[in-house]
Amino acid sequence: TQACLDVAQKQAPRTAAYVAMAEREALFAADESDRRRSSGGALSFLDGVPIAVKDNIMVAGLNCTAASNILRHYVAPYDATVVTKMKAAGLVILGKTNLDEFAMGSSTETSCHGPTRNPWDEARVPGGSSGGSATAVAERSAFAALGTDTGGSIRQPAGLCGVVGLKPTYGRVSRYGAIAMASSLDQIGPIGRTVADAAALLEIIEGPDGLDSNAVATTPDQRVSGWPESLKGVRIGLPKEYFVAGMDEEIEGRVRKAVEKLEELGAEIKEVSLPHADFALAAYYIIMPSEVSANLARFDGIRYGSRAKGDNLIETYRKTRGQGFGSEVRRRVMLGTYALSSGYYDAYYLQALKVRRLIAQDFADAFNEVDVLLTPTSPVVAWKLGEKTEDPLAMYLADIYTVPVNIVGLPGVSVPCGQVQGLPVGMQLISRPFEERVMLGVANAYEKAVGRLEFIPSI
Ligand code: GLN
């Protein structure tokens, strides 16, 4: 814990992965853990392991800002279920990591705390929205971290920072205590240095929860661990719609090399089709803002967060929300309100739900032929700070490979698969619902075969 705190302090002026450290609490928890371990009473196999937590997940007594001015001074009154579970297992919470405001973004630049920078190249973004968590793990200021993923926010920054990012099946992990962005898409998940680390943290945080009715119990054959060591007989599908124009050629080269490696290891490679893949991003940018507009209605300056006083109630709402939310958040609230409004609901929201159904069917069909799908995590490597901030559409396109997974509620993991121009490249593996074990088995076999030590930035 002390070593992580030291690295975090040294790196803070360079990368700014954290928005707040919980130094005193962390050292206290680490001491307690030492005592338990020396008396043979460790609470779990991860007792004492220091973890960073994204700042849209509540840790009682610490600020929880969601990187928004409207929550700048908000103190979490309770622990998120994932935090309760981590504490019960003896894990140490180091601090809160930076994100895009309310997790809306792909670069960690829309944060009210200022941007986080990629530890591989500080002129570049770490990806987002869990950019702080991915950076903390990559720079070794945490052993692992929690992120949230609504359209790629765990996998994409993990890919851009050269670490492992795991988005669980919708319903595997309780969302209670995570500040909601789009409730039908949000999942909390781990970011780790290795596949095994990410899987281990998932085993701590998963499980049913009376406080999130979508969080269900898994059956013994849906457990995370116990993946097969061999890839013999594992069928891996390459969706042909994903390997098309728009993808950086060098990235495609790296990913195809990884595919060759998996084939060498015994996997069977097949081309598959996801015919409606083209519509996923469009559907996401209707469904997500619609849910955002509903979820963020609660931030009106009355019950939560800061208030800008007006002459009357409506004025107070207007000023509070106008000043409290940044421009990307306001854009999405407006888009969502519009998509849900009378007269447009059928044309937009309802239509998007129908497309969602078709995309789910595509994946179900593909999983009749293969066990795991493989795609790049991101069409580009980490870009320069400021490069996409003026062009929301360019920013949205960064999520083109990750968004379909959330639309369908599937599990997905990003694993480092080499570098392009000295920057990390990630490949994404996708499984059937609650079959995390299968994609993690493939990811682990690949990681073992190529050696993970290649993937450390020289800080
Ligand atoms: N980058 C995507 C967006 O801006 C996904 C964000 C997320 O997963 N939280 O919506």
Side-chain angles (χ1 to χ4, degrees):
T1 295
Q2 187 63 61
C4 285
L5 291 169
D6 290 348
V7 176
Q9 194 183 14
K10 177 177 143 236
Q11 283 290 98
R14 302 180 192 161
T15 57
Y18 292 84
V19 299
M21 301 307 299
E23 185 164 349
R24 212 166 42 92
E25 295 87 339
L27 290 172
F28 182 80
D31 260 343
E32 300 253 280
S33 174
D34 279 348
R35 260 193 293 281
R36 282 194 297 271
R37 278 203 182 269
S38 56
S39 63
L43 293 172
S44 74
F45 62 115
L46 294 186
D47 195 335
V49 176
I51 307 288
V53 177
K54 186 177 181 180
D55 201 27
N56 62 349
I57 300 172
M58 309 258 225
V59 179
L62 301 184
N63 279 91
C64 193
T65 69
S68 179
N69 269 323
I70 213 162
L71 289 177
R72 195 179 264 279
H73 305 294
Y74 181 71
V75 178
Y78 59 87
D79 281 329
T81 297
V82 290
V83 170
T84 304
K85 284 175 181 274
M86 291 206 304
K87 287 180 175 172
L91 282 77
V92 173
I93 291 163
L94 292 162
K96 306 297 292 290
T97 55
N98 203 10
L99 64 152
D100 283 291
E101 185 176 0
F102 283 105
M104 298 176 200
S106 310
S107 66
T108 317
E109 291 174 289
T110 67
S111 166
C112 74
H113 308 285
T116 292
R117 292 161 180 276
N118 194 311
W120 293 80
D121 177 352
E122 288 148 32
R124 292 174 188 271
V125 301
S129 65
S130 312
S133 287
T135 296
V137 176
E139 72 181 12
R140 279 24 184 182
S141 60
F143 276 77
L146 292 184
T148 59
D149 192 314
T150 303
S153 279
I154 289 174
R155 289 158 289 155
Q156 186 259 16
L160 269 43
C161 289
V163 292
V164 176
L166 169 49
K167 183 250 167 218
T169 306
Y170 186 80
R172 184 156 207 139
V173 177
S174 167
R175 292 165 297 128
Y176 181 72
I179 295 177
M181 177 179 161
S183 305
S184 79
L185 304 161
D186 298 342
Q187 268 292 283
I188 298 174
I191 297 178
R193 296 176 188 180
T194 64
V195 175
D197 282 3
L201 187 51
L202 176 58
E203 286 190 287
I204 301 281
I205 62 171
E206 69 175 358
D209 183 10
L211 298 166
D212 172 0
S213 56
N214 283 312
V216 294
T218 48
T219 59
D221 61 315
Q222 293 173 334
R223 70 192 188 284
V224 177
S225 56
W227 48 60
E229 287 301 319
S230 157
L231 294 188
K232 287 255 151 28
V234 176
R235 298 164 303 167
I236 299 178
L238 308 182
K240 66 168 190 248
E241 291 81 1
Y242 279 44
F243 288 86
V244 289
M247 190 196 310
D248 181 293
E249 263 176 44
E250 288 182 276
I251 292 184
E252 174 162 10
R254 288 308 319 178
V255 173
R256 293 224 181 252
K257 258 212 144 80
V259 172
E260 278 168 28
K261 188 81 200 169
L262 291 168
E263 200 164 18
E264 258 171 53
L265 293 171
E268 188 188 316
I269 309 294
K270 260 179 112 160
E271 188 177 83
V272 294
S273 175
L274 301 170
H276 299 93
D278 269 1
F279 307 112
L281 201 64
Y284 174 79
Y285 275 96
I286 295 292
I287 296 165
M288 174 273 296
S290 298
E291 295 184 22
V292 160
S293 75
N295 272 328
L296 269 57
R298 70 185 60 136
F299 301 106
D300 57 6
I302 306 301
R303 183 154 181 198
Y304 301 105
S306 50
R307 179 186 309 168
K309 251 184 132 67
D311 292 339
N312 54 49
L313 187 63
I314 298 297
E315 248 331 273
T316 300
Y317 287 162
R318 281 214 173 117
K319 278 197 170 163
T320 298
R321 290 167 66 80
Q323 293 167 18
F325 291 145
S327 58
E328 182 59 27
V329 173
R330 291 202 304 272
R331 176 181 298 119
R332 296 191 191 201
V333 168
M334 287 191 282
L335 284 172
T337 306
Y338 182 80
L340 291 177
S341 59
S342 166
Y344 296 108
Y345 181 97
D346 290 359
Y348 296 108
Y349 186 66
L350 197 63
Q351 188 72 3
L353 291 186
K354 291 177 182 168
V355 173
R356 184 177 201 170
R357 182 76 197 86
L358 292 173
I359 295 169
Q361 193 57 50
D362 279 1
F363 277 95
D365 292 345
F367 282 127
N368 278 329
E369 292 180 51
V370 295
D371 306 302
V372 173
L373 294 168
L374 187 154
T375 78
T377 303
S378 158
V380 289
V381 289
W383 57 90
K384 293 242 164 70
L385 264 89
E387 205 177 299
K388 297 189 201 288
T389 41
E390 300 307 314
D391 185 354
L393 195 57
M395 192 73 89
Y396 298 170
L397 283 168
D399 307 319
I400 192 133
Y401 301 130
T402 48
V403 149
V405 168
N406 301 73
I407 290 198
V408 186
L410 300 170
V413 63
S414 177
V415 194
C417 69
Q419 296 174 20
V420 163
Q421 293 147 18
L423 296 165
V425 175
M427 67 169 162
Q428 175 179 236
L429 298 163
I430 307 165
S431 282
R432 298 184 190 96
F434 295 101
E435 286 195 359
E436 276 86 346
R437 190 176 73 248
V438 181
M439 69 184 191
L440 292 171
V442 174
N444 179 64
Y446 176 78
E447 184 187 78
K448 286 261 151 59
V450 297
R452 68 183 168 89
L453 288 182
E454 194 187 334
F455 308 114
I456 299 181
S458 53
I459 56 166

